[in-house]
Amino acid sequence: MRLPFFALILGLAGLIPFLTLGGWIFLAGLFSPLPHLTVILLAYGACILSFLGAVHWGLAMERPDIITVQGTADRDRQRLLLGVCPALWAWLSLCVGLLGGLRAGYLLEVIGFLATFAVERMAWKNGALPPGYMPLRGVLTVGAVISLLMAALAPLQNYTL
């Protein structure tokens, strides 16, 4: 089963801010600090990481029988947990990035994207995710991680606000 074409297009469109901001921060950042753009990219990364968790919360809640007399099934409990963890990690990344240094925030977001992908891959192998989901997630994760790393490696950025 493949994802709908519209979902594929919208997923790839979500990479546009990552690729443009990450690339611009790295290339233009060689010559001039871009503190506002770095904060915008950090915030966008946190939003998208939170959204990845929301996808799993939605998968768990789409079934009307999630809350039953017996309680939630193991798979649904895992989905609910995966729905919250990326959002909490994104919040931590944003806090560290804004209070401690943008470079540290970017690196925490990279860890969050990679860890979420790894857990999703295990869930996908166990049949908990739609078949067409992981190829798209792989491309999106690679794009986000590369962009965040490019921004983290920009030499002239003001990494404390």
Side-chain angles (χ1 to χ4, degrees):
M1 179 179 152
R2 297 173 62 184
L3 288 177
F5 182 70
F6 192 57
L8 180 68
I9 295 300
L10 290 176
L12 292 174
L15 276 181
I16 292 171
F18 275 118
L19 297 176
T20 55
L21 286 172
W24 186 252
I25 289 167
F26 182 77
L27 294 175
L30 293 172
F31 306 104
S32 173
L34 302 167
H36 296 317
L37 289 183
T38 57
V39 171
I40 290 169
L41 179 61
L42 184 70
Y44 184 69
C47 288
I48 296 301
L49 193 53
S50 294
F51 174 77
L52 295 178
V55 167
H56 296 285
W57 193 272
L59 287 171
M61 294 302 215
E62 76 177 338
R63 293 193 14 237
D65 63 339
I66 185 165
I67 300 175
T68 62
V69 176
Q70 297 88 6
T72 56
D74 285 341
R75 181 173 283 176
D76 289 328
R77 276 195 295 277
Q78 291 167 348
R79 284 180 171 160
L80 292 172
L81 185 62
L82 186 56
V84 171
C85 289
L88 292 175
W89 191 264
W91 173 78
L92 175 68
S93 302
L94 190 56
C95 288
V96 168
L98 293 176
L99 299 174
L102 290 168
R103 185 170 281 156
Y106 285 140
L107 295 177
L108 285 173
E109 284 185 358
V110 166
I111 291 167
F113 276 101
L114 294 174
T116 301
F117 181 78
V119 172
E120 285 178 330
R121 185 159 159 65
M122 288 187 297
W124 178 68
K125 284 183 175 183
N126 292 325
L129 293 171
Y133 179 78
M134 285 313 290
L136 177 61
R137 276 287 289 123
V139 169
L140 298 177
T141 298
V142 167
V145 165
I146 288 172
S147 297
L148 292 167
L149 288 174
M150 286 175 58
L153 294 173
L156 295 178
Q157 296 309 308
N158 178 10
Y159 285 101
T160 55
L161 297 176

